[in-house]
Amino acid sequence: MAAAQVVVATALVHDGRVLAARRTRPPALAGLWELPGGRVEAGESEAEAVVRECREELGTAVVVGERIATDLRIDAGVLRVHTARLADGAPQPRALEHAGLRWVAAGEVAAVDWVGADRAVVADLVALLG
Ligand code: 523
């Protein structure tokens, strides 16, 4: 049996806030907010995938930290959340991937309209932000 497809999500923290990105697709997820990321490609580590996705989707370099939260079952396989910090450059939304970005403080995390899987890590994000 093939291993479950791993999707990484990035808890990108800067100045005590975490970055949320508004999805444009698929229709079921469009308009909802996620921790940016995507599928881990063959031969790639999870940390490498986080770096690549942040470069592709946000145009920024990041340094990957630790894994937080528990693995989450999603339709695509399993979602794993990694912390990261900015290495340089402010994130910018790439039109095809995200309709907008926002930096979310601890007290605002629970009120964000997250995609289902990401909603499950709200408590972990609040703890991460202190
Ligand atoms: N999620 C999800 N939360 C979250 C991410 C990054 C992804 O629930 N924070 C889900 C959404 C999709 C699947 O994981 O069902 C793949 O994420 P996606 O579409 O961002 O991954 P990509 O960019 O690798 O996908 P394709 O370009 O479509 O292959």
Side-chain angles (χ1 to χ4, degrees), residues 60-115:
T60 193
V62 304
V63 176
V64 182
E66 83 254 63
R67 253 179 68 193
I68 60 166
T70 55
D71 293 358
L72 299 164
R73 301 298 313 183
I74 57 174
D75 288 348
V78 58
L79 185 73
R80 293 194 181 141
V81 183
H82 292 252
T83 65
R85 62 179 173 80
L86 287 175
D88 74 356
Q92 301 289 338
R94 298 282 163 102
L96 290 178
E97 305 285 348
H98 293 125
L101 302 177
R102 64 179 282 207
W103 291 101
V104 182
E108 303 167 331
V109 171
V112 171
D113 201 5
W114 296 106
V115 302

Side-chain angles (χ1 to χ4, degrees), residues 7-9 23 25 29 34-39 53 57 74 76 79 97 115 117-118:
V7 179
V8 289
R23 290 192 66 110
R25 65 182 171 86
L29 300 181
E34 70 169 5
L35 299 172
R39 294 168 212 270
E53 291 284 353
E57 296 188 354
I74 57 174
L79 185 73
E97 305 285 348
V115 302
D118 298 50

Side-chain angles (χ1 to χ4, degrees), residues 15-19 102-112 125-126 129:
D15 282 346
R17 294 169 190 248
V18 67
L19 190 72
R102 64 179 282 207
W103 291 101
V104 182
E108 303 167 331
V109 171
V112 171
L125 295 177
V126 171
L129 296 174

